[in-house]
Amino acid sequence: MSPSDVVNSQGYNFSTTSTPPIESKMSTVRNANYSKWNGSVNNNWTTANNWTGGTLPSASRDCQIGVGTNTTLVNTSPVNCANATLQTNGTLNWNNSTFHLEVFSTLNIQSSFNFQNANQASIVMKGTSNQSLTSSTTFPGHLIINNSGTSAANTVAVLSNITVNGNLTCTDGRIAIPNGRTLTVGGNVVVQSGCVIDIQGGGKLALGNGRTLTVNNGGSLKLVGNSGSKATITTSNSSYAMSVVVNGTINARYYTFNHLGTAGV
């Protein structure tokens, strides 16, 4: 590009030591502090050279898991990622174990990600500041909320409609289900002491058939909607029934319980 290629309607002088700006194709800027799975050695998570740069992901290092030479095997527990991106057509194989994947910041599960032998596995949101959770693929295992941040920074926000086939256990922190989002849990939901499930106006928590939401002593269930948009606890199918047991605290206004069993709340 030269000065003659530029429309200079204001008559500005061009630098005599440099040329006008150059237009280039779009560039992608990446956080350098990440490990991407390539599976070039074997399928073990703990083999460093299966990851770009020969560095394992960690609580302070991101992971990206997509298609590699070998699929990814969770061969120890826990395995850690700061921000975790589970990419389309990638695979995580838990080998029917109860091992944990711990995520310390954001979790993004893209469409058509493959979870193998993961019915007993757990994903743990284990940050010390606010986190977010997005998923376009059903997770067959369990979800654990264990955020130990301060009360102003301990929220795990559900940013898409998410389905977990196993249990949801809230051990510490707060999980927030905002307007327009549904968290579907095929198993039971337990809110332990020190944890809050916050279902906001227009948000929904949906349980499987015959399942129970239990709020333990010291735990809290917040169901606060508004006049135009209720906070809802329901079932994943209109023919199902559920139970709610509250031994802790419930804070409710503009809310709905749908498909409660005969025991009620």
Side-chain angles (χ1 to χ4, degrees):
M1 183 179 287
S2 68
S4 63
D5 297 314
V6 179
V7 175
N8 185 9
S9 61
Q10 300 300 314
Y12 295 116
N13 293 324
F14 286 116
S15 169
T16 59
T17 59
S18 65
T19 60
I22 297 174
E23 180 181 354
S24 67
K25 295 181 179 180
M26 184 176 68
S27 299
T28 300
V29 178
R30 297 185 184 276
N31 175 10
N33 188 39
Y34 77 97
S35 296
K36 182 177 177 64
W37 176 262
N38 58 53
S40 59
V41 179
N42 54 37
N43 61 1
N44 290 334
W45 180 293
T46 54
T47 300
N49 285 333
N50 281 328
W51 302 89
T52 53
T55 304
L56 295 175
S58 68
S60 57
R61 187 176 181 86
D62 299 352
C63 68
Q64 297 176 7
I65 301 174
V67 177
T69 304
N70 293 287
T71 58
T72 318
L73 175 68
V74 181
N75 64 318
T76 190
S77 185
V79 293
N80 301 320
C81 297
N83 297 287
T85 304
L86 308 186
Q87 299 172 328
T88 298
N89 296 324
T91 300
L92 266 181
N93 184 356
W94 259 274
N95 199 28
N96 296 313
S97 71
T98 59
F99 290 166
H100 289 185
L101 165 61
E102 295 181 343
V103 179
F104 288 77
S105 189
T106 65
L107 172 62
N108 177 17
I109 306 173
Q110 297 178 357
S111 61
S112 300
F113 188 83
N114 300 294
F115 292 107
Q116 293 182 347
N117 306 308
N119 289 351
Q120 302 303 315
S122 295
I123 292 176
V124 184
M125 303 300 288
K126 197 178 179 181
T128 57
S129 59
N130 291 334
Q131 299 181 260
S132 63
L133 175 59
T134 305
S135 180
S136 299
T137 299
T138 296
F139 179 57
H142 309 298
L143 176 63
I144 299 172
I145 307 301
N146 188 16
N147 186 301
S148 59
T150 64
S151 59
N154 65 348
T155 297
V156 177
V158 174
L159 299 185
S160 70
N161 295 331
I162 294 171
T163 300
V164 175
N165 285 347
N167 299 323
L168 168 63
T169 304
C170 193
T171 62
D172 198 8
R174 173 176 169 266
I175 181 169
I177 306 173
N179 180 40
R181 304 304 182 199
T182 299
L183 174 59
T184 301
V185 180
N188 296 309
V189 178
V190 177
V191 186
Q192 297 181 354
S193 179
C195 203
V196 179
I197 290 185
D198 180 5
I199 305 170
Q200 300 167 6
K204 292 182 181 180
L205 174 64
L207 275 67
N209 189 30
R211 300 302 186 178
T212 301
L213 164 61
T214 302
V215 182
N216 289 341
N217 184 28
S220 180
L221 174 62
K222 185 176 181 181
L223 275 166
V224 178
N226 54 66
S227 58
S229 189
K230 294 181 179 179
T232 302
I233 296 178
T234 185
T235 55
S236 57
N237 186 299
S238 60
S239 64
Y240 291 171
M242 63 168 181
S243 300
V244 177
V245 178
V246 179
N247 297 312
T249 301
I250 182 169
N251 179 6
R253 185 170 183 238
Y254 294 112
Y255 65 94
T256 299
F257 288 104
N258 288 329
H259 312 302
L260 274 173
T262 56
V265 178

